């Protein structure tokens, strides 16, 4: 199946202009919403949106959160519940798109937003796919963020990211690292959302994820829905890039299985 239409737009939601891109297919089975990581954006999903659309016969939408990519900058100090705020923005976006029960696929911070959304609005999604999720603060999380900040200071990563985020790079980078390393953020935890999740959930994590241990994955044992897990051998935080074929096939099988069960 070919993607029959590619659409991009900016829409004003709450206090910000939010950029999104949509890959449309004929007679879609559902819509997959992609939620990017702490340094990501729509463009950095690369070929994933189009390939998911073709393989699963679903529309796919990726959007840039506040402060990222082609969306407005977001320089306000982030409160401890800023990811809950992002879940609320996602709810408004779904209303704008007139999508009732999408499939959410979140990566890293995007996975945390997707988890929160699934707990806040358990009847407003069909399936949940999360990779490299953070639901609690661990030493591994903080160590990984300290290393990320060091990379910013000692490499050309800021210059590379300007291609995708323009002059927002330092704002978004330090908003991420300084927020998570702050004293007030050390009590951050979203595990209380997990028992409220009722939909089938696929949890993906790299075997050597530098931002979290298996505690992040095993927290989903308390979900009220079916939970499947994929621990990707020889992969770190970006398992969908490092072991793409395995992750892609697992996701497509998961979606096909549960959409088929619904049709039956």
């Amino acid at each position: 199946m070919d993607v029959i239409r590619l659409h991009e737009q900016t829409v004003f939601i709450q206090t910000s202009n939010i950029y999104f891109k949509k890959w449309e297919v004929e007679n879609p089975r559902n819509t997959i919403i992609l939620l990017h990581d702490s340094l990501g954006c729509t463009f950095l999903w690369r070929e994933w949106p189009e390939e998911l659309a073709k393989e699963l016969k679903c529309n796919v939408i990726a959007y840039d959160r506040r402060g990222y990519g082609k969306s407005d900058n977001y320089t306000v100090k982030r409160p401890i519940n800023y990811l809950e705020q992002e879940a609320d923005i996602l709810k408004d976006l779904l209303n704008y798109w007139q999508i009732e029960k999408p499939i959410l696929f979140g990566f890293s911070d995007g996975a945390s937003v997707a988890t929160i959304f699934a707990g806040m609005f358990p009847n407003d999604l069909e399936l949940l796919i999360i990779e490299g999720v953070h639901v609690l603060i661990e030493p591994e999380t903080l160590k990984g963020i300290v290393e990320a900040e060091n990379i910013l200071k000692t490499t050309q990563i800021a210059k590379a990211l300007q291609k995708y985020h323009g002059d927002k790079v330092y704002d978004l980078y330090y908003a991420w690292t300084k927020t998570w390393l702050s004293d007030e953020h050390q009590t951050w935890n979203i595990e209380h959302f997990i028992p409220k999740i009722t939909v089938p959930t696929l949890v993906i994590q790299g075997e050597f994820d530098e931002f979290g241990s298996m505690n992040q994955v095993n927290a989903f044992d308390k979900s009220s829905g079916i939970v499947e897990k994929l621990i990707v051998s020889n992969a770190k935080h970006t398992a969908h890039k490092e072991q793409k074929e395995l992750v892609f096939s697992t996701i497509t099988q998961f979606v096909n299985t549960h959409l088929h069960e619904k049709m039956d």
Side-chain angles (χ1 to χ4, degrees):
M1 170 176 284
D2 292 330
V3 173
I4 60 171
R5 186 183 178 205
L6 186 60
H7 173 74
E8 58 183 326
Q9 185 181 332
T10 299
V11 58
F12 190 79
I13 298 292
Q14 295 189 17
T15 61
S16 302
N17 287 298
I18 302 294
Y19 169 83
F20 69 90
K21 195 169 185 178
K22 183 176 183 180
W23 292 257
E24 292 182 301
V25 300
E26 189 174 4
N27 299 318
R29 303 160 70 200
N30 204 307
T31 299
I32 302 170
I33 310 295
L34 301 180
L35 296 99
H36 65 76
D37 60 303
S38 57
L39 297 177
C41 62
T42 293
F43 185 85
L44 288 172
W45 281 105
R46 305 296 186 184
E47 71 282 355
W48 271 83
E50 183 172 356
E51 291 184 5
L52 285 172
K54 290 179 178 179
E55 182 67 25
L56 290 171
K57 302 177 178 60
C58 290
N59 291 339
V60 176
I61 298 177
Y63 71 97
D64 297 341
R65 294 197 305 275
R66 297 175 297 174
Y68 294 86
K70 297 181 180 180
S71 292
D72 283 348
N73 204 353
Y74 178 51
T75 57
V76 176
K77 185 177 185 295
R78 298 186 183 187
I80 195 168
N81 68 333
Y82 81 97
L83 293 179
E84 284 93 324
Q85 294 177 350
E86 294 297 338
D88 195 56
I89 289 173
L90 173 57
K91 176 64 172 172
D92 285 351
L93 280 168
L94 293 176
N95 290 336
Y96 172 79
W97 294 323
Q98 298 182 321
I99 299 172
E100 293 185 356
K101 297 188 72 170
I103 298 165
L104 300 185
F105 176 14
F107 167 50
S108 193
D109 279 13
S112 301
V113 175
T115 297
I116 294 166
F117 182 95
M120 290 174 63
F121 309 106
N123 298 318
D124 293 342
L125 72 162
E126 193 69 49
L127 300 171
L128 177 63
I129 303 166
I130 48 177
E131 175 195 356
V133 67
H134 316 300
V135 297
L136 69 155
I137 299 282
E138 294 186 286
E140 292 91 341
T141 315
L142 301 178
K143 182 180 178 182
I145 292 172
V146 168
E147 178 59 26
E149 194 169 77
N150 184 55
I151 289 171
L152 175 68
K153 296 174 181 177
T154 60
T155 72
Q156 296 296 310
I157 190 172
K159 184 175 182 181
L161 288 172
Q162 283 178 351
K163 179 179 178 180
Y164 314 111
H165 302 290
D167 59 5
K168 299 189 288 290
V169 172
Y170 282 97
D171 286 334
L172 71 86
Y173 214 111
Y174 282 119
W176 169 46
T177 60
K178 298 302 185 188
T179 298
W180 282 74
L181 296 175
S182 67
D183 290 340
E184 59 265 34
H185 206 73
Q186 301 316 298
T187 60
W188 179 87
N189 188 298
I190 60 168
E191 290 178 275
H192 58 284
F193 287 108
I194 294 174
K196 302 173 184 178
I197 298 173
T198 59
V199 298
T201 300
L202 173 61
V203 186
I204 304 166
Q205 181 157 302
E207 178 185 11
F208 303 116
D209 192 320
E210 62 271 38
F211 291 99
S213 74
M214 282 296 295
N215 291 331
Q216 309 284 350
V217 176
N218 293 335
F220 286 84
D221 292 342
K222 296 181 180 179
S223 173
S224 297
I226 297 168
V227 177
E228 300 177 26
K229 301 174 184 178
L230 172 65
I231 307 305
V232 184
S233 299
N234 300 315
K236 297 173 73 175
H237 192 55
T238 56
H240 71 286
K241 296 179 180 179
E242 299 168 60
Q243 300 287 349
K244 180 187 172 183
E245 185 175 339
L246 172 62
V247 175
F248 189 87
S249 64
T250 303
I251 289 173
T252 55
Q253 182 178 0
F254 173 78
V255 172
N256 282 330
T257 296
H258 291 286
L259 289 186
H260 181 73
E261 287 177 354
K262 184 186 177 185
M263 291 176 64
D264 291 344

